[in-house]
Each structure stands twice: as C-alpha cells, then as structure tokens.
Amino acid sequence: MLLYDSKFAPNPRRVRMFLAEKGVSVPTQAVDLGKLEQKQDSFRAINPIQRIPALQLDDGTVISESIAICRYFEEMHPQPPLFGRNALEKALVEMWQRRLEMHFLLPIAMVFRHTHPAMREMENPQIPLVAETNAPRVAEFLEYFDSHLQNSRFSAGDEFSVADITGIVAFDFMRPARLTAPAHLTNLQRWREEVAARPSASA
C-alpha cells in the first residue's frame, strides 16, 4: 500500500488527519506539485486525473479522491467511527461533509487558484473574476456555519467526524487564499480552536 501525498495541498491533509484520528500509518510518497510532478507520465499512470492524494493498494488498485480514501479506511478500521455510528448520524455527517466541501473548501480553492502567483502554471489562465465571485460565497457560508455551531459542538453534532476534518482544512486554507474569518463569529472560533487542538490537526 502506498499513499501519494503532498504537504502543501489541502486534500492530502484531509487524508493525513483522518489516518491520524484512526491511528493508522501508511507508507507515503511525496508528489511535488510545484514541479508539476502530478502531470508526469509516471504519476498519470497512477491517477489520470492528475490529482493528489491517491492510494495504491497492494493488488495495484488505485483509489483517488480524499473522501473515497477515507471511506476505505473507515471500513478497514471502523474505530473510532468518523462517518457516523447509525443511520441518522451517517446521514448528518454526509450532509455536513458535502456542505463544508462544496460551499467552503471549494470556493476557497477557487480564490486561491485564480489569485495566487504559485498557481499560474497549474491554473492557466487565472481568471480574477472567478476569485471575486467565490470570495463572498465563503463569507456567506461562514455566517451560516457560525449560526449552526451555536447549538452543535462539532459540524454534524456532538461527535467529531470527517466533516470537521474537511472544515478545519478549509479554514486553514483561507490563509494562503488571503481570506479571513470575521471576528464576530465566536461559535466558529470556538469550534476552530477545539478542532485545531486535536493531535491530528498537525498531520
């Protein structure tokens, strides 16, 4: 088994945090995104989509997409459960994982990819209007998420889940995207501090 990883991208971090929460260690191979190693033929043979992370199993099967990899390890190592324990919890975790990915992480990524100088070769052409239209979506979602957290310890309820992993990775990705969370969102800040204090947050 081999996990293709990158220390400077948010999606691989989601998998590393998930594995840290599970207490699972997997051999890794770094892919230098700055040198566009993900576009080289050797990696395209692993993942034709040219994205990180990718998990290659011992039989040669390759699983890409962060949450798909996390689901694999959830089945292989069910404790502690990070996708919920019963039908309702699993549905709520799925809902919040999707919300945090689609309405928080993705807009931040669009701002970063279309403004940061390091992304000029990977996002060609960079379109400033894409960043301009996505930045307000981040702010809007944060207001909504803060109101939700007023009555919820974590994203999907009282238990830490994969949704919180996506959330904290997205929150930390705001910094290189040059986005900030408004200071008045105190529920968001409380959640962020609690999640950031978990050992897995440094994975």
Side-chain angles (χ1 to χ4, degrees), residues 158-170:
D158 292 333
E159 301 296 329
F160 180 86
S161 73
V162 68
D164 296 292
I165 292 176
T166 295
I168 192 65
V169 167

Side-chain angles (χ1 to χ4, degrees), residues 84-103:
R85 297 168 295 184
N86 55 45
L88 178 58
E89 287 186 4
K90 289 177 180 179
L92 291 174
V93 169
E94 181 74 17
M95 179 178 76
W96 278 102
Q97 150 56 31
R98 290 284 291 174
R99 285 178 173 177
L100 286 157
E101 184 173 56
M102 299 301 294
H103 303 294

Side-chain angles (χ1 to χ4, degrees), residues 100-120:
L100 286 157
E101 184 173 56
M102 299 301 294
H103 303 294
F104 190 29
L105 179 56
L106 181 59
I108 294 168
M110 290 299 97
V111 173
F112 177 77
R113 293 183 70 91
H114 287 276
T115 59
H116 201 285
M119 295 301 297
R120 283 176 183 153

Side-chain angles (χ1 to χ4, degrees), residues 2-199:
L2 184 62
L3 178 65
Y4 291 87
D5 191 16
S6 172
K7 291 292 186 182
F8 302 105
N11 283 315
R13 186 187 173 203
R14 286 202 280 175
V15 174
R16 292 197 306 273
M17 282 191 67
F18 192 91
L19 291 173
E21 289 285 340
K22 292 287 187 181
V24 173
S25 179
V26 177
T28 62
Q29 180 171 318
V31 178
D32 192 328
L33 303 180
K35 294 180 179 178
L36 302 180
E37 289 182 353
Q38 74 276 19
K39 295 184 177 297
Q40 294 179 3
D41 289 343
S42 57
F43 185 74
R44 287 166 65 100
I46 300 297
N47 185 11
I49 302 298
Q50 305 164 46
R51 295 289 188 270
I52 301 296
L55 177 69
Q56 187 171 40
L57 305 182
D58 292 341
D59 67 356
T61 301
V62 175
I63 304 170
S64 62
E65 307 302 333
S66 302
I67 297 303
I69 295 171
C70 291
R71 284 191 178 277
Y72 173 82
F73 283 110
E74 179 83 352
E75 295 298 320
M76 299 299 293
H77 305 275
Q79 298 299 325
L82 296 176
F83 279 89
R85 297 168 295 184
N86 55 45
L88 178 58
E89 287 186 4
K90 289 177 180 179
L92 291 174
V93 169
E94 181 74 17
M95 179 178 76
W96 278 102
Q97 150 56 31
R98 290 284 291 174
R99 285 178 173 177
L100 286 157
E101 184 173 56
M102 299 301 294
H103 303 294
F104 190 29
L105 179 56
L106 181 59
I108 294 168
M110 290 299 97
V111 173
F112 177 77
R113 293 183 70 91
H114 287 276
T115 59
H116 201 285
M119 295 301 297
R120 283 176 183 153
E121 288 193 49
M122 280 185 271
E123 196 66 53
N124 187 13
Q126 286 183 313
I127 305 171
L129 183 59
V130 172
E132 292 173 15
T133 56
N134 276 280
R137 294 171 182 166
V138 175
E140 181 182 5
F141 181 81
L142 285 177
E143 293 282 351
Y144 166 61
F145 191 38
D146 180 78
S147 65
H148 166 70
L149 291 170
Q150 184 174 356
N151 299 304
S152 185
R153 180 182 177 188
F154 293 110
S155 300
D158 292 333
E159 301 296 329
F160 180 86
S161 73
V162 68
D164 296 292
I165 292 176
T166 295
I168 192 65
V169 167
F171 189 98
D172 291 348
F173 195 38
M174 291 175 67
R175 183 174 180 180
R178 300 185 179 95
L179 297 168
T180 57
H184 71 273
L185 301 182
T186 56
N187 300 309
L188 175 70
Q189 188 60 33
R190 183 270 307 163
W191 166 86
R192 189 264 169 193
E193 290 175 357
E194 182 169 0
V195 176
R198 299 177 75 89

